Amino acid sequence: MKNLLTLILICLQLSSQAQSVDPLPRPTRAQLDWHETEYYLFMHFGPNTFTNKEWGEGTEPEDLFDPAQLDCRQWCRIAKAAGAKGIIITAKHHDGFCLWPSKYSKHTVRESKWKDGKGDVLKELSQACREYGLKFGVYISPWDRNHPDYGTEKYNTVFTSMIRELFQNYGPIWELWWDGANGEGPNGKKQVYDWKRFEQTVRQISPRTVIFSDIGPDIRWVGNEQGIAGDPNWNYLDTAGFKRGAGGPPQDSLNHGNYNGKSWIPAECDVSIRPGWFWHAEENAKVKTAAELFDIYMKSVGRGANLLLNVPPNNLGLISAEDEASLLEFKKLRDRNFAVNLLKDASIYYQFSRDDITSDELTIRTLDSNATAYSANLRNFIVEMNKPTKMNCIVLREGIQNGQTIRKFRITLFNAGKQVGEIRGTSVGRKRILSFKTATVTSFKVNLEDTKGQDNIRGISAYLME
Ligand code: FUL
């Protein structure tokens, strides 16, 4: 009996010890795939495109919506040429107008004169995305300034049915975008949203869809509409006690994440190529330049987040020439800056100890047995260049499938043994693009100064950017 008691006690102790080792939150398969999509387009389109507004009242006559030359294949052709991986469309903005003929509303494309009420933007776009190999995502605003049921429990059923309709008729839907805005509807009442039900509906129909909102569950808002992730940017977030919209976490938490956060909820950086979200003729001259977009890219994708760049179609239903030109220039600039990986012929490689490292960006090769000098371990490694090389950018990639383990790092640049530069940083995440003053480098040393769990560098490359 005594032995049995001792055994039980030992078991209890062991199990409490096991519990005290808190594993790091990790991304789901769908989140991992989402991280790899990196950059995609947002399209704000609807009655506001024709009324020059940003927030419609919900009372706009349906006939206003008349994009005479609507061509979703043009949108997709441009998105593809711009290197974007997908498109997220405002299926319904706050004015309640549905870009598809929803059975649950009387304020839709069906009620408009466009294509004699037979048009369906979601159908055209989802088909075009498939044709061009782009992912298809949907923004659907729960706030509805038109729907007569808004502000009553009935509306939660309406919204749930609309979600179901989207998934059943236009799927697969890769990302679902929930705006936290919660204003008054036509009867002056605000809605108490049944988020749990909305979420369950999506999970049931389409478990691989990633859901965006201020607090996830899969992707978080970055806390600003300038497209800028924080430095550091942790993929972790604590959501307990917070709500979507007004009750969300402080903007600083959304921007940086929480260092020790309990859930894997990475940041997505939304920003518009123009001052507004919707197209306005007077903003044609205010389209962001390729250089401005590149700066945003460095502060979003370059900090381990994803970039959701809004390019609003115009009142003809086309992407304007100004936006197209800037997008394509932005693509060329990225291509030029990242065309030549200077480490390709470096003579010293870091030896990985795991075999699960697969990536098209993986540039560190297994240690060459002919190498004469090297210093490599999981925390610290040296890359020796074959010849003195000018560089101003190093890209690190972390194998985030095991969590975000790198908490602090330092890179020291040398030219013939003399230190010529140092880059210090904290978070790495899926991709960290570090730019610095151009230096001529013969070798550099990477130190992971603080890590949690298994160290996890997955790839490294270097460039001389313009
Ligand atoms: C906000 C909305 O109120 C804006 O109109 C826009 O859709 C932006 C992306 O989200 O919450």
Side-chain angles (χ1 to χ4, degrees), residues 163-360:
I163 290 176
R164 200 168 284 126
E165 217 171 26
L166 292 180
F167 280 91
Q168 282 165 353
N169 299 331
Y170 309 101
I173 293 175
W174 144 75
E175 176 170 336
L176 186 66
W177 220 90
W178 277 336
D179 196 304
N182 179 354
E184 288 160 5
N187 57 13
K189 286 195 206 143
K190 282 192 185 179
Q191 180 74 26
V192 181
Y193 299 134
D194 191 347
W195 288 112
K196 215 167 155 193
R197 186 167 164 207
F198 304 158
E199 196 176 314
Q200 274 169 359
T201 308
V202 179
R203 291 291 197 232
Q204 250 168 27
I205 315 180
S206 182
R208 291 292 297 271
T209 295
V210 282
I211 304 179
F212 166 99
S213 83
D214 309 67
I215 54 168
D218 300 314
I219 306 160
R220 73 172 192 265
W221 184 47
V222 77
N224 63 66
E225 292 183 339
Q226 279 76 52
I228 298 178
D231 176 13
N233 172 27
W234 307 112
N235 290 313
Y236 304 123
L237 189 72
D238 285 322
T239 57
F242 293 116
K243 292 190 193 134
R244 293 184 168 91
Q251 301 213 332
D252 194 55
S253 305
L254 293 171
N255 196 231
H256 292 284
N258 296 120
Y259 182 81
N260 282 322
K262 298 258 181 309
S263 309
W264 185 274
I265 308 180
E268 181 184 80
C269 303
D270 58 327
V271 59
S272 185
I273 198 166
R274 289 160 170 257
W277 290 104
F278 284 86
W279 177 85
H280 307 288
E282 69 272 19
E283 291 181 356
N284 283 347
K286 294 186 180 159
V287 172
K288 290 187 176 67
T289 63
E292 286 171 315
L293 295 176
F294 188 75
D295 184 55
I296 292 172
Y297 178 84
M298 293 290 279
K299 291 173 177 154
S300 52
V301 173
R303 292 178 178 170
N306 275 7
L307 172 59
L308 173 59
L309 178 62
N310 180 62
V311 182
N314 61 26
N315 57 353
L316 293 173
L318 298 170
I319 291 178
S320 303
E322 297 85 351
D323 307 57
E324 177 179 5
S326 182
L327 277 177
L328 298 186
E329 209 36 62
F330 171 40
K331 166 79 161 66
K332 279 194 207 145
L333 185 54
R334 291 192 326 274
D335 285 352
R336 286 202 302 272
N337 279 338
F338 301 119
V340 182
N341 174 13
L342 303 169
L343 303 191
K344 263 215 158 115
D345 301 317
S347 56
I348 294 301
Y349 309 106
Y350 167 62
Q351 184 162 24
F352 284 104
S353 57
R354 292 186 300 280
D355 2 304
D356 61 344
I357 301 153
T358 47
S359 159
D360 48 3

Side-chain angles (χ1 to χ4, degrees), residues 39-45 49 67 69-82 84 86-89 125 129 134 273-274 279 284 287 309-328:
Y39 154 60
Y40 34 90
L41 303 188
F42 213 178
M43 296 203 181
H44 277 66
F45 188 54
T49 311
Q69 297 176 26
L70 181 108
D71 182 1
C72 293
R73 297 181 73 241
Q74 186 244 17
W75 307 0
C76 289
R77 181 179 54 72
I78 294 170
K80 193 76 185 180
I87 294 178
I88 300 181
I89 174 96
L125 183 58
C129 280
L134 293 166
I273 198 166
R274 289 160 170 257
W279 177 85
N284 283 347
V287 172
L309 178 62
N310 180 62
V311 182
N314 61 26
N315 57 353
L316 293 173
L318 298 170
I319 291 178
S320 303
E322 297 85 351
D323 307 57
E324 177 179 5
S326 182
L327 277 177
L328 298 186

